[in-house]
Amino acid sequence: QVQLVESGGGAVQAGGSLRLSCTFSGRTFDGYGAGWFRQAPGKERELVATTSGRARFVYYDDSVKGRFTISRDNAKNTLYLQMYNLKPDDTAIYYCAVDVSYGTANWKPRYWGQGTQVTVSS
């Protein structure tokens, strides 16, 4: 059974940084594509970034390009999202997700974490 646990969320001021982590358990991590989604209050969940199993491919939504970096440490079964220059519009619950497939804009992963709150104040 695949399980995902996010951590690292919090409250920061605009321009600040945070690093989210997602710990994977249950199978072989490098066999899964992984990514981060977010959902702001009153909005639909949206894809932020994805990475293939061995990080050969990465994808970013235009809204975070140049500010966020997705990475993974397969030896530690952990996915990361480093966020710089945070803006109030980045305020959301951030979810990590994995699937045996890898995808970009239309990716629909099977397994999800519970989410971690990120709040950016102006």
Side-chain angles (χ1 to χ4, degrees):
Q1 182 72 15
V2 171
Q3 291 186 323
L4 301 168
V5 179
E6 301 98 335
S7 61
V12 296
Q13 291 189 329
S17 302
L18 281 174
R19 188 176 81 158
L20 306 182
S21 299
C22 174
T23 302
F24 169 97
S25 61
R27 298 289 173 88
T28 303
F29 188 41
D30 66 5
Y32 288 77
W36 292 93
F37 291 74
R38 65 185 180 186
Q39 187 166 20
K43 295 186 177 180
E44 292 186 356
R45 188 162 55 191
E46 62 179 7
L47 178 62
V48 175
T50 64
T51 177
S52 58
R54 297 188 179 184
R56 180 178 179 185
F57 302 105
V58 292
Y59 166 84
Y60 295 97
D61 183 78
D62 286 345
S63 64
V64 304
K65 278 182 182 176
R67 299 189 300 122
F68 290 11
T69 301
I70 188 170
S71 63
R72 62 193 298 162
D73 185 337
N74 288 338
K76 295 182 178 179
N77 288 348
T78 303
L79 178 72
Y80 301 101
L81 185 67
Q82 178 68 57
M83 304 183 292
Y84 296 103
N85 191 22
L86 283 160
K87 305 175 181 180
D89 283 350
D90 295 318
T91 294
I93 299 174
Y94 283 71
Y95 299 89
C96 69
V98 300
D99 195 87
V100 292
S101 67
Y102 169 68
T104 58
N106 296 314
W107 188 52
K108 290 177 171 54
R110 177 177 181 182
Y111 301 101
W112 294 81
Q114 293 299 306
T116 185
Q117 176 71 47
V118 172
T119 303
V120 185
S121 58
S122 58

